[in-house]
Protein backbone atom coordinates (compact mmCIF):
# COMPACT_ATOMS: atom_id res chain seq x y z
CA UNK A 1 0.00 0.00 0.00
CA UNK A 2 1.62 3.19 -1.14
CA UNK A 3 -0.67 5.62 0.69
CA UNK A 4 -2.88 5.66 3.74
CA UNK A 5 -5.87 6.23 1.48
CA UNK A 6 -5.11 3.05 -0.50
CA UNK A 7 -4.56 1.15 2.75
CA UNK A 8 -7.91 2.34 4.11
CA UNK A 9 -9.66 1.54 0.84
CA UNK A 10 -8.25 -2.00 0.80
CA UNK A 11 -9.07 -2.48 4.48
CA UNK A 12 -12.68 -1.41 3.91
CA UNK A 13 -13.04 -3.81 0.98
CA UNK A 14 -11.49 -6.69 2.94
CA UNK A 15 -13.77 -6.10 5.91
CA UNK A 16 -16.74 -6.64 3.60
CA UNK A 17 -15.41 -9.93 2.17
CA UNK A 18 -16.45 -13.39 3.26
CA UNK A 19 -14.36 -14.62 6.20
CA UNK A 20 -13.60 -17.95 4.49
CA UNK A 21 -12.02 -16.21 1.51
CA UNK A 22 -9.78 -14.19 3.81
CA UNK A 23 -8.76 -17.22 5.86
CA UNK A 24 -7.89 -19.19 2.73
CA UNK A 25 -5.88 -16.27 1.35
CA UNK A 26 -3.97 -15.90 4.62
CA UNK A 27 -3.17 -19.62 4.75
CA UNK A 28 -2.04 -19.55 1.12
CA UNK A 29 0.32 -16.70 1.96
CA UNK A 30 1.56 -18.69 4.98
CA UNK A 31 2.54 -21.52 2.64
CA UNK A 32 4.53 -19.11 0.50
CA UNK A 33 6.19 -17.02 3.22
CA UNK A 34 7.99 -18.18 6.38
CA UNK A 35 7.25 -14.79 7.92
CA UNK A 36 3.52 -15.09 7.34
CA UNK A 37 3.62 -18.71 8.50
CA UNK A 38 5.22 -17.59 11.76
CA UNK A 39 2.61 -14.88 12.18
CA UNK A 40 -0.26 -17.30 11.57
CA UNK A 41 1.24 -19.87 13.93
CA UNK A 42 1.43 -17.22 16.63
CA UNK A 43 -2.16 -16.15 15.98
CA UNK A 44 -3.57 -19.65 16.39
CA UNK A 45 -1.38 -20.73 19.33
CA UNK A 46 -1.96 -20.56 23.06
CA UNK A 47 0.15 -18.19 25.13
CA UNK A 48 2.27 -21.14 26.32
CA UNK A 49 2.90 -22.24 22.75
CA UNK A 50 3.83 -18.67 21.72
CA UNK A 51 6.37 -18.58 24.55
CA UNK A 52 7.77 -21.92 23.38
CA UNK A 53 7.95 -20.60 19.80
CA UNK A 54 9.74 -17.48 21.06
CA UNK A 55 12.33 -19.61 22.86
CA UNK A 56 12.73 -21.86 19.81
CA UNK A 57 13.30 -18.84 17.54
CA UNK A 58 15.89 -17.30 19.87
CA UNK A 59 17.66 -20.66 20.10
CA UNK A 60 17.68 -20.94 16.29
CA UNK A 61 19.43 -17.57 16.08
CA UNK A 62 21.96 -18.12 18.88
CA UNK A 63 22.84 -21.69 17.92
CA UNK A 64 23.56 -21.37 14.22
CA UNK A 65 26.07 -23.63 12.62
CA UNK A 66 27.73 -23.80 9.27
CA UNK A 67 24.84 -25.77 7.84
CA UNK A 68 22.09 -23.65 9.32
CA UNK A 69 23.20 -20.04 9.11
CA UNK A 70 20.55 -17.36 8.88
CA UNK A 71 20.77 -14.20 6.81
CA UNK A 72 20.38 -10.79 8.38
CA UNK A 73 16.96 -10.45 6.78
CA UNK A 74 15.86 -13.78 8.26
CA UNK A 75 17.12 -12.85 11.72
CA UNK A 76 15.38 -9.47 11.56
CA UNK A 77 12.12 -11.12 10.54
CA UNK A 78 12.37 -13.87 13.17
CA UNK A 79 13.10 -11.36 15.93
CA UNK A 80 10.31 -9.02 14.83
CA UNK A 81 7.74 -11.83 14.71
CA UNK A 82 9.03 -13.30 17.96
CA UNK A 83 8.48 -10.03 19.82
CA UNK A 84 4.89 -10.12 18.57
CA UNK A 85 4.45 -13.43 20.43
CA UNK A 86 4.98 -11.73 23.79
CA UNK A 87 1.91 -10.05 25.27
CA UNK A 88 2.83 -8.18 28.47
CA UNK A 89 -0.80 -8.29 29.61
CA UNK A 90 -0.88 -12.09 29.38
CA UNK A 91 2.60 -13.11 30.55
CA UNK A 92 3.91 -12.97 34.10
CA UNK A 93 6.26 -9.94 34.21
CA UNK A 94 9.16 -11.91 35.68
CA UNK A 95 8.92 -14.49 32.89
CA UNK A 96 8.54 -11.66 30.37
CA UNK A 97 11.72 -9.99 31.59
CA UNK A 98 13.58 -13.30 31.39
CA UNK A 99 12.35 -13.76 27.82
CA UNK A 100 13.46 -10.23 26.96
CA UNK A 101 16.88 -11.05 28.35
CA UNK A 102 16.99 -13.91 25.84
CA UNK A 103 15.90 -11.49 23.11
CA UNK A 104 18.81 -9.16 23.85
CA UNK A 105 21.24 -12.10 23.74
CA UNK A 106 20.74 -12.16 19.96
CA UNK A 107 22.25 -8.76 19.20
CA UNK A 108 25.72 -10.11 18.40
CA UNK A 109 24.30 -12.67 15.97
CA UNK A 110 22.01 -10.11 14.38
CA UNK A 111 24.61 -7.42 13.86
CA UNK A 112 27.28 -9.84 12.64
CA UNK A 113 24.88 -11.31 10.08
CA UNK A 114 24.89 -8.23 7.83
CA UNK A 115 26.15 -4.67 7.48
CA UNK A 116 23.12 -3.52 5.56
CA UNK A 117 20.51 -3.74 8.31
CA UNK A 118 22.25 -1.94 11.17
CA UNK A 119 19.57 0.78 11.25
CA UNK A 120 16.74 -1.76 11.27
CA UNK A 121 18.37 -3.77 14.05
CA UNK A 122 18.98 -0.57 16.01
CA UNK A 123 15.26 0.24 15.80
CA UNK A 124 14.33 -3.31 16.77
CA UNK A 125 16.49 -3.38 19.90
CA UNK A 126 16.34 0.25 21.04
CA UNK A 127 12.69 0.96 20.19
CA UNK A 128 10.60 -2.22 19.85
CA UNK A 129 12.57 -4.31 22.33
CA UNK A 130 12.88 -1.42 24.77
CA UNK A 131 9.12 -0.79 24.65
CA UNK A 132 8.30 -4.44 25.28
CA UNK A 133 10.89 -4.67 28.07
CA UNK A 134 9.47 -1.51 29.67
CA UNK A 135 5.94 -2.93 29.61
CA UNK A 136 7.09 -6.01 31.51
CA UNK A 137 9.22 -3.97 33.92
CA UNK A 138 6.37 -1.60 34.77
CA UNK A 139 4.12 -4.54 35.63
CA UNK A 140 6.77 -6.24 37.77
CA UNK A 141 6.26 -5.93 41.53
CA UNK A 142 9.94 -6.57 42.23
CA UNK A 143 12.10 -3.55 41.28
CA UNK A 144 15.20 -5.38 42.51
CA UNK A 145 14.57 -8.16 39.98
CA UNK A 146 14.15 -5.58 37.20
CA UNK A 147 17.47 -3.99 38.25
CA UNK A 148 19.21 -7.39 38.24
CA UNK A 149 17.93 -8.24 34.76
CA UNK A 150 18.96 -4.83 33.42
CA UNK A 151 22.41 -5.23 34.99
CA UNK A 152 22.87 -8.67 33.40
CA UNK A 153 21.79 -7.38 30.00
CA UNK A 154 24.00 -4.29 30.21
CA UNK A 155 27.01 -6.33 31.35
CA UNK A 156 27.75 -7.27 27.75
CA UNK A 157 26.53 -4.41 25.56
CA UNK A 158 29.28 -4.77 22.97
CA UNK A 159 27.01 -3.56 20.16
CA UNK A 160 25.37 -0.60 21.94
CA UNK A 161 21.88 -1.99 21.49
CA UNK A 162 21.09 -2.32 25.19
CA UNK A 163 22.10 0.96 26.80
CA UNK A 164 18.65 2.52 26.72
CA UNK A 165 17.48 -0.18 29.16
CA UNK A 166 19.22 1.65 31.98
CA UNK A 167 16.34 4.18 31.75
CA UNK A 168 13.86 1.45 32.72
CA UNK A 169 15.26 1.25 36.25
CA UNK A 170 14.18 4.85 36.89
CA UNK A 171 10.64 4.13 35.65
CA UNK A 172 9.90 1.27 38.07
Amino acid sequence: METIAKYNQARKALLQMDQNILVDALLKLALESPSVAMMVEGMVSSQEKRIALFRKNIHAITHQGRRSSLSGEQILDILTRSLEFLDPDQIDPILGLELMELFYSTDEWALNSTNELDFEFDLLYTDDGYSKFTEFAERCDDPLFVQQVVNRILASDDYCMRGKLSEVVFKV
Side-chain angles (χ1 to χ4, degrees):
M1 306 285 135
E2 293 139 15
T3 66
I4 293 174
K6 286 185 180 183
Y7 172 88
N8 289 334
Q9 180 183 14
R11 185 176 191 283
K12 183 178 178 182
L14 289 169
L15 285 170
Q16 295 176 8
M17 293 182 78
D18 181 85
Q19 182 178 352
N20 292 320
I21 293 171
L22 296 173
V23 168
D24 289 340
L26 183 58
L27 291 174
K28 183 178 179 182
L29 286 172
L31 293 172
E32 297 173 4
S33 165
S35 179
V36 177
M38 195 183 320
M39 182 183 71
V40 169
E41 189 171 7
M43 290 171 68
V44 301
S45 296
S46 67
Q47 187 60 52
E48 292 76 25
K49 177 68 174 170
R50 285 192 296 275
I51 291 169
L53 289 169
F54 178 89
R55 289 181 190 274
K56 177 183 168 191
N57 288 343
I58 298 302
H59 186 270
I61 292 169
T62 59
H63 290 79
Q64 296 179 60
R66 289 184 178 170
R67 292 184 156 179
S68 64
S69 75
L70 298 167
S71 70
E73 292 85 4
Q74 290 171 313
I75 292 173
L76 182 63
D77 187 53
I78 290 169
L79 289 173
T80 301
R81 293 284 180 224
S82 295
L83 272 183
E84 293 170 0
F85 293 160
L86 304 182
D87 183 351
D89 293 329
Q90 302 295 317
I91 298 174
D92 175 72
I94 289 178
L95 174 59
L97 290 169
E98 291 169 349
L99 294 171
M100 291 305 299
E101 187 173 1
L102 290 175
F103 169 79
Y104 279 99
S105 73
T106 63
D107 61 352
E108 178 180 1
W109 289 94
L111 291 162
N112 286 334
S113 68
T114 181
N115 291 326
E116 298 170 4
L117 298 172
D118 288 353
F119 177 75
E120 288 81 357
F121 281 124
D122 183 53
L123 289 176
L124 181 67
Y125 289 105
T126 62
D127 289 348
D128 301 338
Y130 172 80
S131 295
K132 188 78 65 169
F133 188 96
T134 301
E135 288 182 69
F136 285 118
E138 288 174 344
R139 289 189 55 241
C140 186
D141 294 333
D142 186 353
L144 180 61
F145 181 77
V146 174
Q147 177 69 54
Q148 290 170 342
V149 173
V150 169
N151 288 344
R152 286 194 306 264
I153 292 172
L154 292 178
S156 56
D157 188 18
D158 298 334
Y159 295 88
C160 300
M161 295 289 134
R162 306 170 181 196
K164 190 174 177 182
L165 292 175
S166 61
E167 298 173 12
V168 172
V169 176
F170 300 110
K171 291 184 176 187
V172 294

